[in-house]
Amino acid sequence: MLFPDHCILRKVCVFLGVLAYVWVPACAQAELSSPETLKYYINRMEENRRHWIAINANLILEFATPDKKIASCHGELRYERLSEKLLLKCLNDGDQLLFIFKSWDRDFELYIPARETLFRGNIFQLQDSPEIESHLSALDLYRALKPVAIPYENSEIETISEHLVTLNVYARRPGENRHLYRRVSMTKTGHVVQEKYYANDETPTVSIHRGKFQIVDDPATKTQEAILFPHTILIESMEKPITTSLVFDHLEFPAGFSSEDWLFPIPEGTATTEL
């Protein structure tokens, strides 16, 4: 009588094993497709975005091309995320001014002392202008300094691992099917460590990597709590192509800047060129 009972027990064990094999992937898939899960992680990212309004920083910039040509400088950065306003001042190792770059939304000014010229125009003209061999992209800097908001209705979770959550963000032009616009990888606490942006044909255009997240708790910081912020940001442009790295030496998060903070002197006789 023991033999039949043993067979029954064996069959039950096999059934439970198969059930577990099917149930675990099903649960994982349900989590990926859950609107509540998606909303939870987007909200975690939004909470981190709201912790600061402006950045005042010292940093080192390095530009590298695919043929391993490298240029670097150090300087100061001011940035207001709500108005997309940025001022970047860069010097060489001898503390001589190399350039001052200012942008606000879609407009920019670029002062280059060596050319005794102030260039003005649209930030998209700067990227394509034959008059300036600029490594700067205001749009990429805006994206790199803070993750752009994720629209809940155009997003879905691609994967959830032990440490990271990856979301796909889609866009749709009139009369066209939706296409992948952005891929976002964040920690489970909502800190975005990698983003990739795509063109309309889903060709990647720029990749942003954030690392060395550290708590910034400086007396000059005007916020109510310490802020966890990446001290290294890498921008890989596939269109240019060029890689830009930002390494922050000192960071503050003021409540904002005065109008005078955005001014910079230009020597008399400096030419102005409109792009």
Side-chain angles (χ1 to χ4, degrees), residues 17 34 62 83 89 110 116 130 141 154 173 196 219 225 250 266:
S34 166
E62 186 174 276
S83 59
K89 178 181 178 181
L110 174 62
E116 298 182 333
L141 287 171
N154 294 329
R173 301 181 71 179
K196 187 171 283 189
E225 58 185 315
H250 178 70
I266 298 177

Side-chain angles (χ1 to χ4, degrees), residues 128-184:
D128 303 324
S129 173
E131 298 181 61
I132 314 172
E133 189 180 348
S134 175
H135 301 323
L136 296 168
S137 166
L139 181 59
D140 289 348
L141 287 171
Y142 295 158
R143 290 169 169 174
L145 292 170
K146 57 96 178 58
V148 179
I150 297 176
Y152 169 77
E153 64 279 4
N154 294 329
S155 306
E156 63 184 30
I157 297 175
E158 182 184 74
T159 59
I160 298 179
S161 67
E162 183 180 356
H163 302 292
L164 287 179
V165 180
T166 300
L167 279 64
N168 289 335
V169 184
Y170 296 90
R172 189 192 303 272
R173 301 181 71 179
E176 296 182 1
N177 295 327
R178 74 172 189 170
H179 64 272
L180 181 63
Y181 168 67
R182 181 179 167 209
R183 179 170 281 125
V184 181

